[in-house]
Amino acid sequence: DIQMTQSPSSVSASVGDRVTITCRASQGISNWLAWYQQKPGKAPKLLIYAASSLQSGVPSRFSGSGSGTDFTLTISSLQPEDFATYYCQQANSLPLTFGGGTKVEIK
Amino acid sequence: EVQLVESGGGLVQPGGSLRLSCAASGFTFSSYEMNWVRQAPGKGLEWVSYISSGGSTIYYADSMKGRFTISRDNAKNSLYLQMNSLRAEDTAVYYCAKGSSMAIDYWGQGTLVTVSS
């Protein structure tokens, strides 16, 4: 199974800050990576697929990059509605596996 | 608008069984792979099972093999998860999830399964 390691596990930031979350795969997955946002009590929401493709309707302040084993999700200017938990997921092979999550909190 | 609506969750005793259902609408259900993903209280996301669009290819997470059975009825636009021999550690919110090239582009609202005596 492919292990996904996210860091940091939590980050405190202010509105307007640039936030970067990293995800590392235990083996190469090309660009088969997705990012999700989850708010408390809600289902996850797809933000990014194929490592850098923005899902329809997702604000352009979200961006993804990377290939192989190392990936990054960047929020260019944090907005109040962005405080949530973010997960990466490898889409290269089954079993699908998720990172442990990164909680973005208000500083 | 894509909608996935789960049902069938509830309280069950250890060793018991439960069948989850997911009613899909707003897309051509028979053309898409589907998944079940779960989330234990306060924990991260855990993939449970996958079924191909036609139902011929099925995968399970190791801890669910032999206990859980995924199925679908394309004529009824429905996805199912039969869960047997339930354990306390199966307590979670179970999400029905539409696949798109192995990513998940739509999620249901989830149904809570609680395994407790």
Side-chain angles (χ1 to χ4, degrees):
Chain A
D1 298 1
I2 300 173
Q3 308 303 315
M4 306 301 293
T5 303
Q6 261 182 261
S7 62
S9 56
S10 66
V11 57
S12 294
S14 301
V15 172
D17 284 354
R18 182 182 184 90
V19 173
T20 299
I21 299 168
T22 63
C23 182
R24 174 164 289 177
S26 61
Q27 63 189 74
I29 58 171
S30 185
N31 69 335
W32 292 100
L33 186 99
W35 290 97
Y36 303 90
Q37 176 194 67
Q38 187 179 33
K39 296 182 179 179
K42 299 294 186 182
K45 172 188 172 183
L46 178 64
L47 299 175
I48 302 282
Y49 63 95
S52 60
S53 297
L54 197 66
Q55 174 71 348
S56 175
V58 174
S60 58
R61 62 181 179 273
F62 291 93
S63 64
S65 64
S67 182
T69 60
D70 293 315
F71 302 88
T72 299
L73 173 70
T74 299
I75 310 171
S76 60
S77 178
L78 199 64
Q79 298 301 299
E81 60 268 30
D82 300 338
F83 292 95
T85 300
Y86 294 83
Y87 294 93
C88 63
Q89 176 237 318
Q90 64 83 12
N92 181 75
S93 61
L94 294 167
L96 302 181
T97 45
F98 293 87
T102 296
K103 187 173 184 179
V104 177
E105 300 175 298
I106 301 172
K107 182 184 281 184
Chain B
E1 178 194 6
V2 171
Q3 286 201 325
L4 300 168
V5 180
E6 302 95 336
S7 61
L11 176 64
V12 61
Q13 292 189 337
S17 298
L18 216 51
R19 189 193 196 208
L20 306 183
S21 299
C22 172
S25 62
F27 66 103
T28 305
F29 181 72
S30 59
S31 296
Y32 290 90
E33 60 203 27
M34 297 294 294
N35 296 271
W36 287 98
V37 178
R38 72 182 185 182
Q39 187 170 36
K43 302 297 185 182
L45 299 169
E46 180 184 24
W47 172 79
V48 172
S49 184
Y50 162 99
I51 187 167
S52 60
S53 58
S56 60
T57 302
I58 286 173
Y59 291 93
Y60 299 98
D62 283 347
S63 60
M64 290 80 169
K65 281 179 189 173
R67 300 189 302 125
F68 290 10
T69 302
I70 190 172
S71 62
R72 64 191 296 162
D73 185 337
N74 285 344
K76 294 184 177 180
N77 291 342
S78 293
L79 177 71
Y80 306 101
L81 185 69
Q82 177 68 41
M83 304 187 294
N84 299 329
S85 304
L86 284 162
R87 308 164 180 165
E89 54 266 35
D90 294 319
T91 294
V93 174
Y94 285 74
Y95 293 103
C96 169
K98 174 181 173 288
S100 177
S101 298
M102 301 286 265
I104 294 172
D105 57 356
Y106 289 95
W107 302 65
Q109 86 287 351
T111 187
L112 176 63
V113 172
T114 303
V115 184
S116 175
S117 54

